[in-house]
Amino acid sequence: MRMLVSVRSVEEALQAAGFGVDYLDLKEPAAGALGGLDTARIKDILAAVRPRHPSLMISATIGDLQAIELTAIEHAIREVADAGVDLVKVGVPGQGGAAADALLGRVALCGRPIVPVLIADDGIDEGLFAIACTLPFPALMVDTQAKLGGSLVERMGPARLARLVATARAHGKPFGLAGALQLRDLPALRELKPAFAGFRSAVCEGERSGSLVPARLKAVHDGLAADRTAFCEAIAE
């Protein structure tokens, strides 16, 4: 299980990268679950991080746009992708419906490396998720919009999340979990074993819009690293 950390500035990006995170996700936490940064700041972060961490995978969000805003979404995707990130994250209503279906189909054909983020507050339609796993996306995620009602693990429960992980694994699709994840969720995450887990709330002081805390970054990183060590030891036996 790899570690993703959401960051909004050059300082935060370098701090997280220095702890050995696997993925950086560029966003503005104060602007919503998938709050977007302007392209100038994205380029500044990339210019600072790439020379020091050339192999680090970096994604960025396009903002909390409504699924029916297809023209605005496509424009935002082009702007963010052209800024130079590896992956572009786009929010999709997880409960399904005509708007979610249309959005998934449109972004799957846009020619850019899109990671759909299925928003789980109103539930996840497992049929929609299975369809998304068959489309040419490099990865998928599930996240929450509201961050004060408990973590994704607490709100959905391990059993439902395990079904999603199994579906993604059956399709060979890298799949990540995020959504106000906390240190207390690490045991459940180690059981679920998604390809990666995304953190912001757990590594910040106070709310997710606060500053990154080195001790918390280390605690999450070490918690996930312990899982990797146990996995490698099991393989070697």
Side-chain angles (χ1 to χ4, degrees):
M1 181 170 38
R2 303 298 181 181
M3 180 179 178
L4 176 151
V5 170
S6 297
V7 299
R8 61 182 174 191
S9 66
V10 168
E11 179 184 13
E12 286 191 351
L14 292 175
Q15 185 178 21
F19 271 91
V21 303
D22 301 290
Y23 309 119
L24 290 181
D25 183 44
L26 313 186
K27 67 168 61 170
E28 176 46 72
L34 298 177
L37 296 174
D38 62 63
T39 54
R41 182 171 297 188
I42 291 174
K43 290 177 180 178
D44 286 345
I45 294 172
L46 293 174
V49 174
R50 292 285 195 215
R52 297 172 174 85
H53 306 277
S55 63
L56 187 59
M57 185 71 70
I58 302 177
S59 62
T61 61
I62 65 165
D64 281 328
L65 298 173
Q66 297 296 312
I68 60 173
E69 300 178 84
L70 294 177
T71 299
I73 288 171
E74 289 180 328
H75 176 74
I77 287 171
R78 287 193 296 271
E79 283 202 331
V80 172
D82 289 347
V85 296
D86 300 301
L87 302 167
V88 180
K89 291 171 61 180
V90 177
V92 177
Q95 74 272 24
D101 292 342
L103 176 56
L104 269 182
R106 184 78 73 91
V107 299
L109 300 175
C110 75
R112 306 302 178 103
I114 304 299
V115 176
V117 181
L118 276 66
I119 303 300
D121 297 57
D122 296 318
I124 295 292
D125 184 309
E126 294 187 26
L128 175 73
F129 183 83
I131 290 171
C133 287
T134 69
L135 296 173
F137 299 120
L140 300 175
M141 289 190 72
V142 167
D143 200 347
T144 57
Q145 180 73 37
K147 303 299 183 181
L148 300 179
S151 71
L152 176 74
V153 172
E154 293 165 336
R155 293 169 70 173
M156 284 195 66
R160 283 193 290 172
L161 292 174
R163 291 199 299 270
L164 299 181
V165 172
T167 298
R169 190 173 291 134
H171 287 87
K173 185 71 67 176
F175 173 50
L177 300 177
L181 297 177
Q182 302 291 337
L183 283 171
R184 62 180 178 269
D185 295 312
L186 289 180
L189 291 171
R190 286 195 290 265
E191 288 292 322
L192 290 164
K193 290 185 172 59
F196 58 100
F199 298 90
R200 176 74 194 185
S201 300
V203 296
C204 283
E205 180 179 6
E207 297 183 358
R208 61 195 297 269
S209 57
S211 301
L212 297 185
V213 178
R216 295 186 180 186
L217 279 166
K218 185 177 187 304
V220 174
H221 181 269
D222 290 353
L224 297 181
D227 178 56
R228 296 178 201 173
T229 300
F231 176 77
C232 291
E233 290 174 349
I235 293 294
E237 290 178 354

